[in-house]
Each structure stands twice: as structure tokens, then as C-alpha cells.
Amino acid sequence: DQQVKQNSPSLSVQEGRISILNCDYTNSMFDYFLWYKKYPAEGPTFLISISSIKDKNEDGRFTVFLNKSAKHLSLHIVPSQPGDSAVYFCAASGSNTGKLIFGQGTTLQVKP
Amino acid sequence: EPEVTQTPSHQVTQMGQEVILRCVPISNHLYFYWYRQILGQKVEFLVSFYNNEISEKSEIFDDQFSVERPDGSNFTLKIRSTKLEDSAMYFCASSLREGAKNIQYFGAGTRLSVL
């Protein structure tokens, strides 16, 4: 099931700089997208979401951008902090279903 | 802050045995889910549950799996006869609504090891 793809398995950035995590999807029926963060031995923690009627949503240091025509979304973290080091999952759902379809995850390392 | 609680954190069982994984969803949530993550793979949807019945299930969720909400607070996943390939992290999640703005909150997971 490759409906949601995160093509970069890992990303390393310097503290204070911007982290950009990318996600692509193939199913045009998806209308809600979420980013989750996961630390080892913990469950996914909700970070930020965006509805398909928007192209940007911002919450503090986190901004999600949605490009529907490209079926692409990205998560920007500015400025990045060492505590942001975790696995980040992109997930998508459609209006007629409750299930989330997850990407493979991207491991972010923020170096002090 | 309300959270989803899962027990046990780690379950070790012999192949062919039955296991029950337990979850306490967030108290005012109406929709409940189970997902699993096999080591090195994606988080995969198993089943969703609403109003005391299954609303959706994946191909993985075969006759060996069942879910139940035995009382007002617990939500359980039962695997009747475990196989080696059932070894995975199992995550419970709950949400207030379905569809648009469906933010699911996850528990810390139960690591199931089938020997």
C-alpha cells in the first residue's frame, strides 16, 4: 500500500535551522492530512493537521503546506530544536472513512 | 491532559495462544481504532469501532481478530490463535469524530512478541 509516501528515511539539521519533511500521496479522495511525531517506546503524538480546503496551517514553530495539484504536503519546523529529534509520520484520511493511512516515516535528527 | 492508555506494555506469548490487548480510550471520544506496526514497516490500520460495532476493518483483520468494548471505558483487541507474524507493536487510538478533522490520539502501544 503506497498511497502515502515519505521518500526520505532520514534528515539531519542543525539546531536553529529549518527542518522540512515531505510527503506525497496518490489517492485524490484524501481530504485530511496529519503529521505525527513518535519517540522510541511511545505512540504517535499528534502535531498538526490540514484540511484539503486549505493550503497552509500554522501552529507555533510548525507549519504544514498542502499542494493538492501535486498531491504533496510538507512540514516545516522553524527553528528546529534538539527535542524535535524523532520519527515524523505523515498520515491521510478521506471523509467517508475513519482510517488513517500512514507514510513510512522520516527520522529527524536535530544537532545542537 | 487526557490520554489513551494501553496495557500491557509488552506481551510475550507462545504461538497458538490467545492474547487480549487492552486500551482505555479518552473518555469523551466516540471512535476507537487499532493499528499495528511490524518492525521496520509502516503503521497499518486494523479496525475501527463506533457505537458498539466494527465500522471498518482491513484485510489484516481476519477471523483470528476480534474487538470488544466490554464496559464504558475499556476497548480490547483479541487475537485467538497467535502466529509468529503477529509479532508487532499494537497501537490503540481514539477520536471524537470521524472524517474531516479526525484527529486520532494514540496510546504508547503494546509490544506483542509471539515465540
Side-chain angles (χ1 to χ4, degrees):
Chain A
D1 184 351
Q2 294 292 311
Q3 294 188 77
V4 178
K5 283 166 95 167
Q6 294 174 256
N7 290 317
S8 299
S10 63
L11 175 68
S12 182
V13 300
Q14 210 64 37
E15 181 179 6
R17 308 294 281 265
I18 185 170
S19 296
I20 300 176
L21 298 106
N22 294 303
C23 178
D24 297 295
Y25 64 96
T26 56
N27 191 338
S28 57
M29 299 301 289
F30 290 148
D31 60 5
Y32 194 60
F33 304 90
L34 308 90
W35 284 94
Y36 284 87
K37 179 170 74 172
K38 186 180 180 304
Y39 294 117
E42 294 186 13
T45 302
F46 170 73
L47 263 181
I48 191 169
S49 62
I50 188 166
S51 165
S52 60
I53 62 173
K54 294 188 172 183
D55 54 20
K56 177 182 172 182
N57 189 25
E58 193 171 349
D59 184 1
R61 295 186 299 116
F62 302 92
T63 304
V64 56
F65 295 92
L66 175 62
N67 182 334
K68 280 179 63 180
S69 59
K71 293 192 177 66
H72 177 84
L73 62 154
S74 60
L75 174 68
H76 293 210
I77 306 174
V78 182
S80 302
Q81 299 172 354
D84 295 330
S85 297
V87 180
Y88 288 78
F89 292 98
C90 163
S93 71
S95 57
N96 60 348
T97 176
K99 72 179 178 186
L100 295 180
I101 306 296
F102 281 84
Q104 304 94 315
T106 296
T107 301
L108 173 66
Q109 182 185 28
V110 181
K111 297 180 180 177
Chain B
E1 185 173 310
E3 60 179 20
V4 176
T5 311
Q6 289 187 244
T7 54
S9 57
H10 190 193
Q11 175 85 50
V12 182
T13 189
Q14 295 290 325
M15 191 169 58
Q17 295 295 305
E18 173 184 287
V19 294
I20 297 176
L21 310 183
R22 302 180 192 279
C23 169
V24 178
I26 294 173
S27 62
N28 64 334
H29 283 186
L30 303 175
Y31 297 87
F32 313 112
Y33 312 85
W34 284 100
Y35 292 81
R36 78 172 185 191
Q37 186 180 27
I38 294 171
L39 189 63
Q41 298 186 21
K42 288 186 178 187
V43 176
E44 301 173 287
F45 168 80
L46 291 178
V47 66
S48 58
F49 191 85
Y50 168 71
N51 200 25
N52 280 319
E53 60 183 36
I54 290 173
S55 46
E56 191 172 1
K57 61 183 180 180
S58 72
E59 293 172 353
I60 304 166
F61 194 88
D62 61 21
D63 292 344
Q64 292 299 313
F65 291 87
S66 62
V67 288
E68 193 179 31
R69 188 152 162 83
D71 53 44
S73 59
N74 289 285
F75 179 51
T76 62
L77 174 70
K78 182 194 290 187
I79 309 175
R80 265 179 266 284
S81 177
T82 50
K83 307 185 192 81
L84 294 176
E85 54 265 37
D86 293 327
S87 295
M89 281 292 291
Y90 287 81
F91 295 107
C92 172
S94 69
S95 69
L96 194 53
R97 58 175 65 85
E98 197 176 53
K101 301 190 178 179
N102 168 19
I103 298 174
Q104 294 181 24
Y105 295 88
F106 286 76
T110 293
R111 178 172 300 283
L112 176 65
S113 299
V114 182
L115 306 178

